[in-house]
Amino acid sequence: MCDSAHGDMLYSRLVIRTCKGILPLAVVCLLACAAPDSDRRIILITVDSLRPDRMAAYGASVSLTPSLDELAAESHVFLRAVTPAPLTLPALAGLMTGKAPSAVGVLDDEGSLLTGPHARLAPDLLTGGWSTGAFVNASFLDHGSGIMEGFRHAYNPTASRESAGAHSPALFADAVEFLDRNRKIPAFAWIHVHDTHYPYTGPDVVGAGRERYSAAVAAVDRALGAFLRALDRKGLSENAWIIVTADHGEGLGTDGEATHGVLLNDATLHVPLVIRPPGGGKQRTVEAPVTLLDLYPTVRALAGLEGSDAPGPMDGRSLLPVLQGDGAGGFPDDRPLYTETFMPLFNFHWPALRQVRRGASIEDAPASGGPWPLLPALPEADKVVRDETQRRRELAIAGEIASALETGRLEEAERLLAEWLGRPHVSPMAARLQATLRRIQGRPDEALAGLGEHARSLGTCADVWSTLAELQQDLGRPSADAWSRAADAAGPRLRFRLQEAEMLAREGQMEAAVRSARKAVADRPASATVNAALGRVFLRAGSTEDALRMYAAAAVAAPGSSLYHREMAVAASRAGNTEGAIKMLQEAERIDPSDATLQRDLGDVHAGSGDLEAARAAYRKALPAGLGEPGASLAVAENLLRVGRLDEAAALVDEVLAGHAGDAQAHYIRGQIELARREPESAREELLAALRTGGERPQVYYGLARAALMASDEEQALAYLDRVFAADDPVLRRALQADNLFSSPDRFPAVRVAVERYLAGAADKKGDVR
């Protein structure tokens, strides 16, 4: 292997040449050399915030998890497993690397990303000849987080506008398909279910607080049971190691509010860990103290990979000796287990918590010295020190306010916030909760003003500045300034700086965007995630050549991932290199033939080059199997509309209407075409026809509102928008955030106020209280 600098240059040239017809040889060898006729499988399931005390296997008198309990009856059940961090991305970063989260640069969910030279599980397995698939439904676990690096197939429906809010059944179904397709190749599937994270979502989840949490756990268990039965039916479970755990526990207060990110105790750190060997067996309980960090070397060992470097005292160790029946596997009862959380610092301005647990004893980890990770240099490190009583009181107030907001007790929330904000040393959490209250009350300007005031008074507080930046985006008033302030105060949390760079590029400040992006990664080791992030900024800033170089370097660093080839295709297409774009998409399809959306990307490239026949053919290949007419033709027309081929889209819709005059979807798409042509009267006629023939749909009212504003009829637009607000559709909410027609303060002030009030309240129906 060549060193990283030469490798980047060599393979960047190689992959750029691929645009002229040469395939990346490293990828060809990697995927062609997988062991033939192998049916080995490793399935890792992480259920967000799952408490062990909800399972009969861990002593629950009334179990919420019969499917998981049935699996545990055939498994090793680890009774003393802990997470390295009571927060999702840090915990999963530790699981995937075997290192403490802060040692790999991950401190939180919002501002951090997993990057750098650290070995991690998915790339290790991929280079070892395993096919790798990730199936998650947490929006922040995207390709930008770094957690997806090394996965050949990655499915995250929450990152798609068309599939917002998909829950555990969709994840498990996609995972079954992946394992079935790869039954002759060693395959690793990771499924992370976010439904059980506060505010607890999913099918049949009702109630509030603890009742809602219990309902979410039970719903996920039903989906898990269906998944396990599907594996059995398809013969996929006999040769599969199945691992089920949680990323962290859940510290439920009296009203069920979550406090897991802020405390280090048994409720937030204790996780279930169930490992079923191929074919199952008898239940065996394991008392040895273990950590999620142990899963990185354990899965490597189960996959037959050579051992990684000798672990340090706080790193993970393989559980294979335990699974092979060797007593406690060499884990002494007083084995030191490291845990940490930086959320007290970020949310309350208390010192971060870092502990070493040895049996029943707990000791604080100092900032330096000893075997534990060094404390990262953080601008917010010298903050308020509270005693235990004060900390518990602030946590209790935060929980009471969150509960009041969730249940609509706004006067009570107002009173509690006034009490909290009247004290010295305003907490970032108090500022954020006040903004949430103002949003629910439909007072977005006050929410923005309050956050700005608190951000300035708190000084270097990245999290209040980032909350302000996110609120500005939610309300359709995006600004790079708040992201710049957040980035300046973020320390090692790289994602805030990259968000600043993207916002600068969106505002047209291209040179500043490129400077910001370079500054973000100036002292960071190269990785696929970092290179791709730079590529996105360069592409938005119009520097396609630099973007191509970055994507090429990312593809070399993660050769089995189709993502970076797709992004190279976009850059090549914008540079006018249609042939190169097509070859990149063909390579992506070869890596992940199951991804039908690649055909849609291919159709976009053909449409952009003017080859409409090829574009239509590609769009049809992207359609779900069995979709008949006129649905197939209308789906193709929608794609042509999306890429700006209005005349071609209109001709196709008119063909449908000639034979199906009452087709509501055809009228709706025809109305969208007229909106794109800025013909409001024609658009209105088509959209009203869609209502007459297809009944009421919120997206039709959204189109009618746009047509009314194009005709400068603000009163009619408000009437239509009332129907849109009542539907509270997540896709339309995002459209309202981005639509300049609805955020114009000069032409349509009443519409802007109505939309902002809706967005302020609707945003918090998601329960996003951090």
Side-chain angles (χ1 to χ4, degrees), residues 290-644:
V290 299
T291 167
L292 291 187
L293 305 182
D294 296 332
L295 290 180
Y296 166 72
T298 300
V299 174
R300 281 182 55 93
L302 295 177
L305 303 184
E306 293 182 5
S308 56
D309 295 338
M314 297 298 151
D315 297 337
R317 284 168 164 70
S318 173
L319 300 175
L320 190 58
V322 179
L323 300 174
Q324 291 174 335
D326 185 18
F331 296 103
D333 190 65
D334 63 347
R335 177 194 179 190
L337 302 177
Y338 176 79
T339 59
E340 64 181 17
T341 179
F342 292 85
M343 297 315 290
L345 176 61
F346 301 150
N347 277 343
F348 292 91
H349 277 184
W350 308 333
L353 296 177
R354 304 166 74 243
Q355 296 177 348
V356 176
R357 306 167 76 85
R358 300 176 188 269
S361 70
I362 299 174
E363 59 186 270
D364 291 334
S368 62
W372 33 77
L374 296 177
L375 182 68
L378 290 166
E380 302 169 337
D382 54 342
K383 295 299 179 182
V384 180
V385 177
R386 304 280 202 198
D387 64 28
E388 183 67 18
T389 300
Q390 290 173 318
R391 288 199 301 270
R392 288 187 177 279
R393 177 56 185 153
E394 286 196 38
L395 277 179
I397 291 176
E400 289 169 15
I401 294 169
S403 176
L405 292 174
E406 185 181 6
T407 55
R409 294 177 282 123
L410 303 188
E411 291 184 3
E412 181 180 348
E414 187 84 66
R415 176 181 59 78
L416 291 168
L417 272 166
E419 175 189 342
W420 195 5
L421 291 168
R423 298 178 180 182
H425 307 298
V426 172
S427 165
M429 178 58 75
R432 299 172 90 176
L433 286 171
Q434 184 187 49
T436 298
L437 173 61
R438 296 290 176 261
R439 294 169 75 174
I440 293 174
Q441 292 171 329
R443 296 153 65 183
D445 287 331
E446 291 182 40
L448 286 169
L451 274 174
E453 181 181 344
H454 289 308
R456 287 185 289 273
S457 68
L458 289 166
T460 57
C461 182
D463 295 83
V464 175
W465 283 114
S466 68
T467 303
L468 176 60
E470 289 168 351
L471 178 56
Q472 289 171 335
Q473 288 178 227
D474 284 347
L475 299 179
R477 306 187 209 173
S479 170
D481 180 66
W483 281 124
S484 298
R485 303 289 191 97
D488 289 343
R493 293 187 285 169
L494 177 62
R495 212 166 188 180
F496 289 153
R497 183 68 70 189
L498 292 171
Q499 285 170 309
E500 175 205 25
E502 292 218 14
M503 191 60 66
L504 286 167
R506 188 180 302 176
E507 291 180 353
Q509 302 183 56
M510 303 309 184
E511 292 184 4
V514 172
R515 284 197 303 272
S516 176
R518 292 192 187 281
K519 182 178 179 180
V521 300
D523 58 347
R524 301 295 179 116
S527 73
T529 299
V530 164
N531 288 331
L534 282 172
R536 293 180 196 111
V537 174
F538 287 141
L539 190 62
R540 188 179 286 274
S543 181
T544 54
E545 190 172 328
D546 284 333
L548 271 170
R549 266 201 305 274
M550 291 297 100
Y551 290 141
V556 169
S561 171
S562 64
L563 172 70
Y564 309 118
H565 293 84
R566 297 179 71 153
E567 295 192 297
M568 271 192 288
V570 173
S573 182
R574 290 194 186 177
N577 187 351
T578 301
E579 180 186 357
I582 291 172
K583 289 187 180 297
M584 284 295 96
L585 289 172
Q586 289 172 340
E587 178 62 15
E589 185 179 23
R590 195 184 63 77
I591 293 172
D592 186 8
S594 65
D595 190 349
T597 63
L598 287 166
Q599 288 295 328
R600 192 178 76 165
D601 292 350
L602 192 60
D604 291 352
V605 172
H606 287 306
S609 70
D611 188 346
L612 297 180
E613 184 176 346
R616 289 190 185 196
Y619 288 144
R620 284 188 175 272
K621 285 184 180 179
L623 299 178
L627 181 62
E629 293 295 347
S633 291
L634 292 176
V636 172
E638 282 190 289
N639 280 309
L640 291 168
L641 166 63
R642 181 175 51 82
V643 296

Side-chain angles (χ1 to χ4, degrees), residues 8-153:
D8 285 347
M9 293 194 320
L10 171 64
Y11 282 109
S12 292
R13 288 195 296 270
L14 177 63
V15 179
I16 289 172
R17 287 176 65 201
T18 304
C19 296
K20 299 179 181 177
I22 299 176
L23 292 176
L25 300 180
V27 179
V28 173
C29 178
L30 172 69
L31 298 180
C33 295
D37 299 325
S38 171
D39 57 359
R40 291 185 297 158
R41 282 171 286 279
I42 301 173
I43 302 167
L44 170 63
I45 302 167
T46 50
V47 182
D48 209 301
S49 312
L50 178 60
R51 291 170 58 115
D53 61 8
R54 269 39 181 183
M55 299 169 53
Y58 285 84
S61 57
V62 178
S63 176
L64 298 174
T65 59
S67 299
L68 186 48
D69 291 327
E70 186 176 345
L71 182 74
E74 302 180 326
S75 307
H76 288 75
V77 178
F78 291 81
L79 301 179
R80 296 171 60 191
V82 299
T83 180
L87 206 65
T88 300
L89 183 58
L92 294 174
L95 186 157
M96 293 294 179
T97 63
K99 305 285 185 183
S102 61
V104 295
V106 179
L107 309 182
D108 69 339
D109 289 339
E110 299 172 53
S112 298
L113 60 85
L114 177 58
T115 183
H118 316 287
R120 60 183 80 178
L121 188 54
D124 288 355
L125 291 168
L126 194 63
T127 55
W130 286 65
S131 187
T132 53
F135 312 87
V136 307
N137 66 342
S139 59
F140 58 89
L141 297 179
D142 57 9
H143 286 286
S145 70
I147 202 74
M148 293 295 195
E149 197 169 307
F151 284 100
R152 183 181 178 190
H153 176 86

